[in-house]
Amino acid sequence: MFPQYKLWLSNTLRSLQTEFLHLILLLFATALLCLSANVFAQDVNLDDGWEYAWGDSPFDSDGVPLWTKNDQLVDWQPIAFPSDPPARGAHHNVWFRITLPQHVYRDPVFYTSSIDLLAEAYLDGKLIYKHGQLDQDGAGIFAGWPWHMVILPENFAGQTLYFRVYSNYINIGFWGERKLAERVDVLKQITKESLQGLIVAGVTIFIALMAAIFAMLKGQRRQFMNVCLFSLAAAGLVLGDIPAMKLVWDQPLLWNYIGAYAYFLLPIPMFMLLAEWLSDAGLEVRHFQWLWRAHLVFLLVAAIGSVFGVLHLTQLYPAFDGMFIVSLFLLVVSVLLVFKRVRLEQKLLILAYFGFCAVMMLDMAVAHNWISWSSIPVSSGALLFSVAIIGLSFNHYLSTQRRLAKLNISLESEVIERTEQLSAIAKQEALRANGLLFQQEKLEMVSDVIFDLESCHTLEVGIEKIANRIEALCVPFSGVFSMAVPDGWKRVHCWGYEIDSPSFDNTALTKAKFNNEQGIFPFRIMNQQGTVRYVALLQVHATEMLNGYPIEHFMKLLKRAVEKINITLANIALREELQRFSYEDELTGLKNRRFFSEVMEHEIAVAEQNQSPLSLLICDIDYFKTFNDTYGHPAGDAALKTLAALLEQFFHDGNIVCRLGGEEFVVVIPKVKGEDCLQKAEQLRGAVEKTQIQYEGYLLENITISIGISSWPELTPDPRQLFQQTDSALYQAKENGRNCIRLAEK
C-alpha cells in the first residue's frame, strides 16, 4: 500500500510541475505578445452573410455532409446573427454557413467566443474542426463552453464555411464574437483578456488567505470565514472564465464546472455575510438564512447530480439564474425596508453587495441574450466586493474587540448576580423534579399502551388491552374501568377502594356528559359521518398530592392520555371499516387483483364441480408508458378509466372485470368457451381503437390494446394454468405487433 501511495504522489508532483511550466510559458508568451507590434492582417468581423437550416444533414459513404455539396437538398434561410433561429420547436440540430471574404492571412483562423453546445466545422466538405463528440444521430454529451479557434487553409477566401451545431440547451448557435484573424492575433487577444483575470484571481486568493488568518483569531471567526469562502468562490469563478486556462490545460468542461460551482457558491457567503452584519443591528435575519440554505441545497443537488450524470451545466445555469433573481428580489425588498436603520459601514456593505449583484445580473442578461453581447467585468466586480468586504470586516473586527473589552468588565458582575438567581431557580426545580419524574413515568406508560394498541386488528381486542394496562397508569389512585354494552356499562376491572359504576340507559348513553375534573374519562370513537360512540369509561378517584405532583395536573394528564388512546381506537375502527373496501381499485372502480385471486379460486372450483367451461381474457394497453410520458400521468389515468368503462360495457351478466395493476386488466368469463370469447374480444378491441380519450377538454390520441384468451378445458387440461396460458397469449399478441388478439395454444 505504501509503495503505491509513493508512486501516486510522484506522478501527481510531475503533473503539477508540467502544468506549472505551461503556466510560466503562457505568461512569458503573453508578455511577448503584448510588447510586439501587430504586423499581420487586420481582423475581419463576420457579422453579415450568415444562413441557417434546421435539422441535420445526411452523409455520403465517405462521411461528407450532403448539405455542403448540394444546395437543393435544404432550404437555407438568412439570419442576422447565427444564434437561436426562429421556429426551433423540438429541433436540437441546426446548420449555419457563411461565405468567407477575400482576405489574405499568413495563418488564418476563424475565432468565436462560444457555441451552444457542440459543433463541427466543414470546409469544402471536409471536417476541419469539432468540439465534443456527435453520434450517428447528431447528438452528444455536453463538453463545455470554451472559445473556439478553427484553423483555415490558405486558400479559404471565397469558400463556404459550414457549422453543424447540436444543443439541447435553451440556446443554440454562436455567442459573442465571430471573426477571421491571424492565429497569433487570436492568441494575443486571449492572453490579453486573461491578464486581468489572472491578477484578480491571485488577489482574491490572497484576500481569502488573509480572511482565513483573521478567522483563526479569537473574534469574528464566522464573519471572516464567510469572507474567505466568498473570496475562494470569486477566485474559482474568475479562473473558470479565464480564456487562457484552456491553453494551460485543454479541459474546457473542467474549467466550466469550476466556474459554475464557484458561481453557484457565491450567493451563500454573500447572504451569510448580510445576515451576520444586519443581525448586529437587531434586525430579523431569518429570511437571509433561508436564502443561503436554499442556495446550499441547490449547490449540493447540482454537485451530486453532475457526479452521477443526472444533471448537466446546461440544465443548472437557467435554474440557478431564476433562483438567484427571485432571491435577489426578496433580499432587495427586505434590505430597503431597514436601510435607514443600519449603521454607515452596514450601508456600505449593502451598496457594495448591490453593485456586485448588478454586475452579475448584467452577465446573466448577456448569457440569456436579453441584451446584446458585451464583455461584463464580473472579475473586477468580485475583486472590488472582496476588497470592500475585507476592509469593512477588519474595521468591524477592531470595533468589536473594543466593545468586547468593555463588556468583559460588566459581565463579571452580572455573572455573580446571575449565579445567585440560578441557585434560587435550582431549588425550585428540585421541588418539581419528583413531580416531573412521576409525570414522565405515566407518559411512558401511555406510549406503551398506544404501541400495544397499534398492533390490534379489532376494536374488541384493543379495549381488552386497555383494561389490562389501565391500572398501572392510574395507581396509586383508585379506579374502575367499564365497557359499554347495549344496556349500559359492564364493569371490567377495578382497583383500590370501591367506586360506584355509572348508570346510563341505552338512549342516554351517547348523550352523557362526563366531568374530567371529577375523574370520569370516556373512551369514544367517531366514524366518518361524525357519529360518536362510547366504548369504555374510566373512573379515577384521587385524594391527595403525590410526589409534588398536583391532582389537577394528574387529571389533565389522564385527559390527554385518554384523548391519545381515543385517536388510536378510532384508527383501529377505521381499519376495520377499510377492510371491507380492500377489494376495490380506487381509480377505475373495478375489483382489484386481490379480489381476482380469491374469485378465481372459487370459479375454478365451481367449473370443476359442474364440468362447465371457464374462460379468461387479459388485455393490456399498448405503449402506455409512451402515452404517459407524452400527455402526463393524469391523462394516463383518464385512459385507464375509459378502458375500464368499455370493459364493463362489453362484459357483464356474470362476467367479472378486474384491474390486475398498471395498464393490465383481466376478465373472468364462466360457462363460455374460448372461441365464443373471440368475437366479443374483437368488438372490444375495435371499440377501444375508435374511442378517443378526453382529458381537460382535449381529445388525445386513441389507444389500442392487446388481448390474450385461454379457456378450460378447451385449451388447457388444468384450470389452474389458465392465468399463465392467458398471459402467454397476451405476450404473443404483443410480440406480433400489438393491437391484436391471440388464443392460447393447446
Side-chain angles (χ1 to χ4, degrees):
M1 187 69 183
F2 184 71
Q4 293 178 355
Y5 173 76
K6 291 180 64 178
L7 179 60
W8 173 83
L9 182 60
S10 177
N11 292 335
T12 303
L13 290 175
R14 281 199 297 269
S15 177
L16 291 175
Q17 290 173 357
T18 302
E19 300 302 331
F20 181 73
L21 179 60
H22 287 171
L23 181 60
I24 296 298
L25 292 175
L26 174 63
L27 294 176
F28 181 72
T30 300
L32 290 179
L33 289 172
C34 293
L35 294 174
S36 63
N38 188 359
V39 296
F40 304 108
Q42 294 295 319
D43 298 348
V44 177
N45 292 325
L46 301 179
D47 296 330
D48 302 314
W50 288 92
E51 294 179 311
Y52 76 94
W54 282 117
D56 199 11
S57 170
F59 290 75
D60 63 14
S61 59
D62 296 328
V64 178
L66 297 182
W67 287 5
T68 65
K69 300 169 62 176
N70 189 347
D71 285 351
Q72 303 302 322
L73 296 177
V74 63
D75 183 18
W76 292 97
Q77 298 292 327
I79 187 171
F81 187 91
S83 177
D84 297 324
R88 177 177 182 178
H91 289 292
H92 288 164
N93 292 91
V94 66
W95 281 70
F96 296 100
R97 72 177 185 178
I98 186 172
T99 301
L100 299 176
Q102 298 287 340
H103 282 272
V104 179
Y105 292 93
R106 295 183 181 179
D107 190 6
V109 295
F110 172 88
Y111 171 78
T112 182
S113 302
S114 182
I115 301 177
D116 291 323
L117 296 169
L118 309 181
E120 293 178 349
Y122 292 87
L123 191 67
D124 193 22
K126 295 181 180 180
L127 178 66
I128 62 173
Y129 177 81
K130 69 176 181 178
H131 170 62
Q133 188 68 39
L134 296 179
D135 57 23
Q136 59 183 3
D137 298 324
I141 301 175
F142 176 65
W145 273 305
W147 50 269
H148 302 274
M149 184 170 65
V150 182
I151 300 175
L152 301 174
E154 294 182 359
N155 60 342
F156 71 89
Q159 297 190 48
T160 302
L161 182 61
Y162 293 84
F163 287 93
R164 180 191 184 197
V165 179
Y166 165 79
S167 175
N168 56 2
Y169 184 50
I170 57 176
N171 300 113
I172 185 169
F174 290 80
W175 185 84
E177 289 186 284
R178 302 154 316 286
K179 66 181 181 179
L180 286 176
E182 293 281 359
R183 188 192 312 200
V184 67
D185 288 340
V186 172
L187 294 176
K188 179 179 178 180
Q189 174 185 339
I190 290 171
T191 51
K192 279 186 176 180
E193 292 175 352
S194 303
L195 277 177
Q196 181 183 359
L198 290 171
I199 294 173
V200 170
V203 173
T204 50
I205 292 175
F206 175 73
I207 291 175
L209 292 175
M210 289 182 58
I213 293 173
F214 283 126
M216 295 178 185
L217 302 177
K218 293 184 178 180
Q220 307 297 320
R221 293 182 178 177
R222 182 183 301 176
Q223 181 173 318
F224 281 110
M225 285 304 298
N226 291 337
V227 174
C228 177
L229 184 61
F230 173 82
S231 299
L232 290 176
L237 176 64
V238 173
L239 286 175
D241 288 338
I242 294 176
M245 301 311 294
K246 181 182 176 183
L247 299 176
V248 176
W249 195 1
D250 190 12
Q251 294 291 333
L253 185 60
L254 172 65
W255 296 115
N256 283 150
Y257 270 108
I258 291 174
Y261 292 121
Y263 182 52
F264 300 156
L265 176 62
L266 273 177
I268 298 175
M270 293 169 67
F271 292 148
M272 293 174 70
L273 278 169
L274 283 175
E276 183 76 18
W277 281 60
L278 295 181
S279 63
D280 293 344
L283 305 177
E284 182 59 54
V285 295
R286 282 183 297 179
H287 49 288
F288 291 97
Q289 296 175 356
W290 282 111
L291 288 175
W292 73 256
R293 288 171 181 170
H295 281 273
L296 178 60
V297 171
F298 179 89
L299 177 63
L300 294 176
V301 171
I304 296 173
S306 62
V307 168
F308 290 98
V310 178
L311 300 174
H312 302 283
L313 287 184
T314 55
Q315 302 169 314
L316 297 175
Y317 268 110
F320 173 81
D321 291 343
M323 182 178 180
F324 182 76
I325 291 173
V326 172
S327 300
L328 181 60
F329 174 77
L330 296 175
L331 194 63
V332 169
V333 172
S334 302
V335 169
L336 289 180
L337 294 175
V338 300
F339 188 76
K340 294 182 179 180
R341 297 164 52 189
V342 299
R343 300 189 303 272
L344 176 61
E345 61 179 10
Q346 294 169 329
K347 291 180 179 179
L348 293 176
L349 173 69
I350 293 171
L351 294 175
Y353 170 76
F354 285 161
F356 181 59
C357 287
V359 174
M360 293 184 66
M361 293 295 292
L362 286 174
D363 187 59
M364 289 183 195
V366 172
H368 292 286
N369 289 329
W370 297 337
I371 62 177
S372 59
W373 180 87
S374 60
S375 180
I376 305 300
V378 177
S379 60
S380 299
L383 176 61
L384 292 176
F385 185 73
S386 297
V387 172
I389 290 298
I390 195 68
L392 291 173
S393 298
F394 183 67
N395 180 67
H396 187 251
Y397 169 77
L398 294 178
S399 61
T400 301
Q401 292 300 314
R402 288 192 294 268
R403 291 197 301 269
L404 287 175
K406 295 179 180 179
L407 286 174
N408 285 334
I409 300 175
S410 60
L411 283 177
E412 292 179 358
S413 59
E414 291 183 6
V415 166
I416 297 174
E417 180 181 354
R418 186 67 66 180
T419 301
E420 296 175 353
Q421 295 176 355
L422 289 175
S423 299
I425 294 174
K427 293 179 181 179
Q428 296 176 358
E429 291 299 319
L431 297 176
R432 297 176 52 196
N434 290 335
L436 292 177
L437 180 60
F438 174 78
Q439 174 178 297
Q440 182 62 31
E441 291 175 352
K442 297 302 180 182
L443 291 176
E444 291 177 357
M445 292 180 185
V446 173
S447 299
D448 292 341
V449 171
I450 293 176
F451 181 79
D452 286 346
L453 289 177
E454 288 176 347
S455 62
C456 296
H457 297 289
T458 63
L459 194 62
E460 181 179 358
V461 174
I463 295 175
E464 182 179 349
K465 288 193 175 185
I466 295 174
N468 294 333
R469 303 290 295 274
I470 197 68
E471 178 181 351
L473 179 63
C474 298
V475 293
F477 305 118
S478 302
V480 174
F481 182 78
S482 304
M483 181 186 301
V485 293
D487 57 350
W489 299 99
K490 176 183 177 182
R491 179 175 294 196
V492 178
H493 184 58
C494 60
W495 59 95
Y497 60 84
E498 186 70 18
I499 299 178
D500 294 334
S501 298
S503 58
F504 298 106
D505 56 26
N506 292 339
T507 57
L509 182 61
T510 58
K511 299 180 181 180
K513 295 183 179 180
F514 301 100
N515 192 333
N516 299 134
E517 295 180 357
Q518 295 180 0
I520 302 177
F521 304 93
F523 293 87
R524 56 190 172 216
I525 59 173
M526 180 182 296
N527 60 20
Q528 294 181 343
Q529 290 74 33
T531 303
V532 176
R533 179 163 66 97
Y534 291 94
V535 295
L537 187 68
L538 171 65
Q539 293 176 270
V540 176
H541 184 64
T543 57
E544 61 183 5
M545 179 182 294
L546 181 65
N547 292 330
Y549 198 73
I551 294 177
E552 59 270 17
H553 289 182
F554 180 71
M555 293 300 180
K556 292 179 180 178
L557 184 148
L558 277 182
K559 179 181 179 181
R560 291 193 297 268
V562 172
E563 289 174 349
K564 291 181 179 180
I565 294 174
N566 284 340
I567 294 174
T568 307
L569 291 176
N571 290 334
I572 296 173
L574 180 61
R575 286 200 299 269
E576 285 187 276
E577 185 176 358
L578 290 178
Q579 184 68 25
R580 296 195 299 270
F581 301 102
S582 62
Y583 291 108
E584 185 172 293
D585 178 60
E586 181 179 4
L587 176 65
T588 61
L590 301 177
K591 298 299 182 181
N592 58 19
R593 189 183 188 108
R594 179 180 179 182
F595 181 83
F596 165 75
S597 299
E598 296 182 7
V599 79
M600 191 63 183
E601 293 181 3
H602 172 74
E603 292 298 333
I604 289 174
V606 172
E608 288 181 324
Q609 181 179 358
N610 300 329
Q611 289 299 303
S612 59
L614 176 62
S615 296
L616 198 65
L617 179 150
I618 302 178
C619 65
D620 185 73
I621 300 177
D622 299 326
Y623 304 109
F624 187 63
K625 183 179 185 302
T626 303
F627 187 94
N628 271 337
D629 293 342
T630 303
Y631 299 106
H633 288 279
D637 292 343
L640 293 172
K641 293 178 182 178
T642 301
L643 177 56
L646 288 172
L647 285 167
E648 287 187 313
Q649 176 183 341
F650 277 86
F651 296 97
H652 46 76
D653 298 334
N655 301 327
I656 304 168
V657 183
C658 303
R659 181 185 178 193
L660 288 178
E663 67 272 22
E664 195 171 19
F665 297 80
V666 62
V667 184
V668 183
I669 311 172
K671 301 179 182 179
V672 177
K673 296 182 179 180
E675 291 290 339
D676 298 332
C677 294
L678 190 60
Q679 182 178 2
K680 183 168 289 189
E682 179 59 34
Q683 294 175 356
L684 170 66
R685 187 201 61 78
V688 172
E689 187 178 24
K690 296 176 182 178
T691 302
Q692 288 188 301
I693 308 301
Q694 294 187 0
Y695 177 66
E696 294 186 351
Y698 294 95
L699 293 177
L700 309 181
E701 65 173 298
N702 295 20
I703 61 173
T704 61
I705 60 174
S706 300
I707 301 176
I709 300 175
S710 184
S711 179
W712 177 83
E714 179 183 6
L715 298 175
T716 177
D718 185 0
R720 290 161 187 80
Q721 297 297 319
L722 264 178
F723 183 85
Q724 289 83 352
Q725 284 208 341
T726 310
D727 190 64
S728 297
L730 173 63
Y731 179 78
Q732 293 175 6
K734 286 186 171 292
E735 286 293 310
N736 292 329
R738 293 181 167 83
N739 193 19
C740 61
I741 305 171
R742 289 291 181 272
L743 279 172
E745 298 178 357
K746 292 186 178 180

